[in-house]
Structures are given as structure tokens and as C-alpha cells.
Amino acid sequence: MTQHDVHGAPPLDATGRQEMHALTRERMRFFLRFALTEGAVLAILIVLMYAARIIDPDLGLYLLIGVALVGGVVLSVVLSRQMKRQQAIIAASEARQEAVRIEASRQP
């Protein structure tokens, strides 16, 4: 096990840093797409409910709650998968660093 820095982030090797950077970019793109999609769907529902009066507001409330619940489930699933990937990246980086230390200690 390696020492963590002040902020709790473990020191990563070069490969680990690249993988973590790619995961961070992927996470940011997901948040942006998620927010834009969720916001657009909710805005359309509100327009259909109150401006166009196509959807009854009583039914629309349930639709809004349903969209929010589905969005919450999707967000939770994606974030938990990304956290598992992040932990796997850290574990692999630590294993590579340990292998390098063992190899270096065997050298005369």
C-alpha cells in the first residue's frame, strides 16, 4: 500500500495518470450530456404542461417525478461504475509500482 498525499489521492504511475485523466474527461462529458438531456426533457414536459396545455398538470407532475427518478437511477448507476473503474485504476497503478519496487530491490 502506498502513501496518499494530503488530499487523499494516491500517487499514480504514468499509465495510471493517463487512465485517470481519460476517466475524468469521460465523467465530465457524461455530466454535460446528462444535464443537457435531463434539462431538455424536463423543460419540454413543463412547456407541454403549462404553455401548450397538452398534458394535464396532475399527470404532468407524475411524469416530472418519473423523469427525475429515472435520471437519478441512471446517474447513480453510471457514477458507481465509474467509481469502480477509478478504484481499479488505482489498484493496478499500485500493483505496477510495487512490482517495480520489488524488481529494483532484487537488483544488486
Side-chain angles (χ1 to χ4, degrees):
M1 179 82 40
T2 59
Q3 293 291 331
H4 297 278
D5 69 7
V6 176
H7 302 290
L12 299 171
D13 62 349
T15 304
R17 282 191 300 272
Q18 289 175 344
E19 291 172 348
M20 194 67 75
H21 186 66
L23 180 63
T24 302
R25 282 193 319 266
E26 181 182 321
R27 185 178 294 150
M28 291 173 65
R29 283 191 305 267
F30 167 74
F31 278 134
L32 181 62
R33 286 191 316 260
F34 179 83
L36 290 174
T37 303
E38 182 93 357
V41 170
L42 291 172
I44 289 169
L45 278 174
I46 289 172
V47 167
L48 291 175
M49 284 170 41
Y50 296 112
R53 298 204 185 273
I54 294 174
I55 298 175
D56 180 48
D58 292 332
L59 174 64
L61 180 63
Y62 292 114
L63 291 174
L64 289 173
I65 291 171
V67 168
L69 287 174
V70 168
V73 168
V74 168
L75 190 61
S76 296
V77 168
V78 170
L79 288 179
S80 67
R81 285 183 184 168
Q82 287 184 348
M83 289 302 297
K84 287 179 184 177
R85 280 184 53 204
Q86 182 175 342
Q87 291 170 352
I89 290 168
I90 292 169
S93 178
E94 288 177 345
R96 286 190 297 267
Q97 290 175 15
E98 186 65 25
V100 168
R101 277 192 293 277
I102 290 171
E103 188 63 34
S105 69
R106 291 182 182 169
Q107 299 295 327

